[in-house]
Amino acid sequence: MKEKRDLKIQAIENGTVIDHIKAGQALNVLRILGISSTFRETISFVMNAPGARGKKDVVKIEGKELSVEELNRIALISPKATINIIRDFEVVQKNIVVLPSYVEGVVRCINSNCISNSSEPIKSKFSVLQSEEEGVTLRCLYCEHVISEDIAENLR
Amino acid sequence: MGTIYENRMPFKNRHVISMKDFSRKEIDYVLDTAEKLEPVARGEERSRLLDGKIIALLFFEPSTRTRLSFEVAAQRLGGQVLNLGSVEASSVMKGENLADTIRVISEYADLIVLRHPLDGSARMAAEFASVPIINGGDGSVHHPTQTFLDLYTIRRESHLEGLRIAMAGDLKYGRTVHSLCHALSLYGAEMTFVSPPELKMPSEIVRDLQKNNISVKETDSLEEIIGEVEVLYMTRVQRERFPDPEEYEKVKNRLKVTGDLLKNADPNLKILHPLPRVNEISPEVDATPHARYFQQAFYGVPIRMALLALAMGVIE
């Protein structure tokens, strides 16, 4: 069984493996990292892979080590994801994503009357809060609207 | 909120965007400054504090009262006022964005007062301005000079510390009451919210107040609470909030201050209203000592004088 699973994604020589992504969020992880059709390196991912702690998604990005700042944005939609930096087929660094306290240009404000949704030359800006009751919430630094649900739905 | 700014005092070149940017100590300082300037606001004394200063008023939506009171405040202090004029006639109609407008006007004026229909526009303007921005109301979020003048009115006509206050009318959409609640919570208060169920104070605001140990009571009846409060802050209930006109009529009549209602009021009760009123306060109330809403409108002048003078650093 283990061998079969390993076949789904090949090990990479150099790059970044994002593991333990909340099942179903792999595409949003690519969006939050700003990875689109113009990205030239090889990317592979599995969705809904069985893991020891239930289903998960995995994303592998070859030939590129993403910055901590970029990677920590993943915590907005998948707070338990882990980041593995691979060099020469070896994991040289393994970290859990850390929720940033501030994000810029990643999420769209849900308030349609917010200045950040107009044609002004600005990026959206949010302070990020985490509480036991409400989970992760974003507060728009312009209009102060709070996004507490569907952060993934409002990615730019 | 506010604690990180606790000792952040110097006002020179500071923007006035949201009440939440000010600590209690700073609010007190603004109110003290307004009180000192009151004789000038009344025209009893002359001042040249803003001599040689140019204040640009950029009003992207009409608000006669706010614009006039800023104009009066600037002129009473000897400052010159630059008016954008109508939006139709300006570069905005040519498609210029607000960021560019602010950068250009920053080169002409010493301070900009901005009124704009989009939420958060004043915060953005502050990022592009090289002079202080005073928010004269942005979208449905902030109108800090209104809150400063409300606090000033309460302090002059009643007292701020531990006030028993009722706010009535449209508490759901009314930005002035939201901002006032937050500011009053810095002074400790017993708050009563009077509104029809469909226009209740948003629950997150009530929760925030309770977290700050503010006692909150909610009701839909003015009769029930009129004897218990020192200040009644009335707001207008807008017809467009009600899909059913009959429902609007009912609510409108239930939330009305009349001479009859005031028979049971505390003799020291003061009634405030941000104006314009429609019919939520009957005209017969105007002649009673409770009515302080026109006085409140005057207090907008010394408060705006204080904010102009502090932001431009002519009073330290």
Side-chain angles (χ1 to χ4, degrees):
Chain A
M1 188 66 195
K2 189 174 182 300
E3 283 159 50
K4 271 190 188 170
R5 202 190 304 156
D6 283 346
L7 281 177
K8 282 179 190 156
I9 296 189
Q10 285 185 338
I12 61 172
E13 188 177 348
N14 291 300
T16 309
V17 175
I18 307 156
D19 199 358
H20 300 291
I21 299 167
K22 196 169 155 191
Q25 292 294 326
L27 290 170
N28 284 329
V29 164
L30 295 179
R31 275 177 79 190
I32 218 168
L33 294 174
I35 291 173
S36 63
S37 54
T38 56
F39 193 78
R40 296 189 168 270
E41 309 298 335
T42 306
I43 293 172
S44 43
F45 63 89
V46 239
M47 291 177 81
N48 301 319
R53 285 169 277 169
K55 290 188 172 184
K56 62 172 185 178
D57 289 8
V58 183
V59 170
K60 298 191 181 191
I61 302 161
E62 284 187 45
K64 190 172 164 86
E65 291 177 18
L66 293 158
S67 73
V68 174
E69 194 207 341
E70 286 172 299
L71 292 164
N72 280 342
R73 289 180 200 158
I74 296 168
L76 294 175
I77 53 171
S78 187
K80 292 192 175 121
T82 60
I83 308 296
N84 304 275
I85 303 293
I86 315 287
R87 288 184 200 143
D88 204 12
F89 294 107
E90 296 287 328
V91 177
V92 295
Q93 207 182 321
K94 184 172 181 135
N95 296 311
I96 218 168
V97 290
V98 180
L99 195 67
S101 57
Y102 169 81
V103 286
E104 194 174 298
V106 179
V107 181
R108 190 183 320 110
C109 183
I110 51 170
N111 171 14
S112 59
N113 200 45
C114 177
I115 190 87
S116 68
N117 287 321
S118 69
S119 57
E120 298 294 333
I122 50 167
K123 289 178 175 171
S124 68
K125 298 185 179 77
F126 293 89
S127 57
V128 182
L129 301 164
Q130 190 170 29
S131 71
E132 296 226 336
E133 303 154 5
E134 295 170 76
V136 177
T137 56
L138 302 180
R139 182 184 287 265
C140 174
L141 291 188
Y142 290 108
C143 76
E144 296 186 8
H145 259 65
V146 172
I147 308 180
S148 51
E149 288 166 14
D150 300 331
I151 292 173
E153 300 298 309
N154 290 293
L155 294 176
R156 278 215 177 259
Chain B
M1 290 300 265
T3 47
I4 49 167
Y5 299 111
E6 214 59 70
N7 293 307
R8 197 184 145 189
M9 271 291 277
F11 276 90
K12 190 176 180 180
N13 292 330
R14 249 177 90 177
H15 305 290
V16 180
I17 307 297
S18 158
M19 279 316 281
K20 289 183 181 167
D21 299 340
F22 294 89
S23 68
R24 173 173 165 171
K25 191 175 152 197
E26 291 173 328
I27 294 171
D28 284 337
Y29 187 62
V30 174
L31 305 187
D32 291 344
T33 306
E35 197 156 347
K36 283 191 200 130
L37 293 172
E38 222 184 278
V40 182
R42 290 185 196 285
E44 294 159 4
E45 286 176 21
R46 297 194 64 129
S47 166
R48 308 296 304 164
L49 267 176
L50 295 184
D51 198 12
K53 301 285 188 194
I54 295 178
I55 292 119
L57 302 182
L58 297 188
F59 277 58
F60 288 87
E61 61 179 9
S63 173
T64 315
R65 201 180 317 268
T66 304
R67 189 171 54 77
L68 285 181
S69 68
F70 267 112
E71 226 169 301
V72 169
Q75 289 178 358
R76 289 278 195 208
L77 292 175
Q80 301 283 314
V81 173
L82 193 67
N83 248 307
L84 170 73
S86 72
V87 172
E88 293 75 26
S90 73
S91 52
V92 176
M93 282 311 276
K94 297 176 191 152
E96 186 179 58
N97 61 34
L98 178 63
D100 283 3
T101 305
I102 292 292
R103 282 190 278 218
V104 171
I105 306 292
S106 281
E107 301 299 322
Y108 300 158
D110 300 297
L111 180 145
I112 298 171
V113 178
L114 176 71
R115 170 94 169 193
H116 196 277
L118 289 181
D119 299 339
S121 48
R123 183 78 70 197
M124 187 206 76
E127 289 176 14
F128 290 93
S130 54
V131 296
I133 298 280
I134 295 184
N135 184 1
D138 61 337
S140 59
V141 193
H142 298 300
H143 194 1
T145 64
Q146 177 72 44
T147 306
F148 270 116
L149 87 84
D150 290 342
L151 291 173
Y152 186 63
T153 308
I154 292 170
R155 188 169 101 166
R156 294 284 280 106
E157 299 291 330
S158 187
H159 62 97
L160 278 171
E161 196 90 28
L163 181 74
R164 281 180 284 126
I165 183 170
M167 300 185 197
D170 180 353
L171 306 183
K172 185 175 179 184
Y173 300 99
R175 65 179 169 188
T176 56
V177 287
H178 299 167
S179 176
L180 183 59
C181 281
H182 163 79
L184 280 174
S185 73
L186 302 176
Y187 295 85
E190 286 175 42
M191 300 188 190
T192 305
F193 299 140
V194 191
S195 68
E198 48 280 68
L199 295 176
K200 270 177 75 168
M201 186 64 81
S203 56
E204 61 270 20
I205 293 183
V206 173
R207 215 172 37 227
D208 277 355
L209 291 169
Q210 285 167 336
K211 268 190 214 157
N212 289 327
N213 296 320
I214 299 299
S215 95
V216 173
K217 179 176 163 185
E218 295 186 272
T219 171
D220 62 356
S221 154
L222 278 174
E223 287 87 29
E224 202 181 282
I225 55 93
I226 195 69
E228 300 167 8
V229 295
E230 298 161 295
V231 167
L232 171 60
Y233 193 99
M234 288 300 295
T235 63
R236 186 159 48 104
V237 173
Q238 287 165 297
R239 186 185 297 269
E240 53 271 29
R241 305 279 184 223
F242 291 86
D244 179 356
E246 259 181 56
E247 200 53 38
Y248 168 74
E249 290 302 316
K250 260 198 273 173
V251 165
K252 192 184 75 181
N253 294 323
R254 210 158 8 122
L255 285 181
K256 193 167 181 176
V257 181
T258 59
D260 262 359
L261 177 82
L262 292 177
K263 282 179 190 152
N264 298 317
D266 182 314
N268 291 318
L269 170 76
K270 310 291 182 193
I271 302 169
L272 310 188
H273 192 303
L275 304 177
R277 69 168 153 178
V278 184
N279 44 29
E280 55 278 12
I281 303 176
S282 336
E284 80 238 25
V285 176
D286 298 353
T288 71
H290 301 300
R292 303 313 288 159
Y293 27 91
F294 295 116
Q295 193 61 26
Q296 183 183 3
F298 161 71
Y299 289 138
V301 177
I303 269 295
R304 289 175 174 120
M305 287 165 72
L307 290 167
L308 289 172
L310 288 166
M312 281 189 275
V314 297
I315 295 179
E316 297 250 340

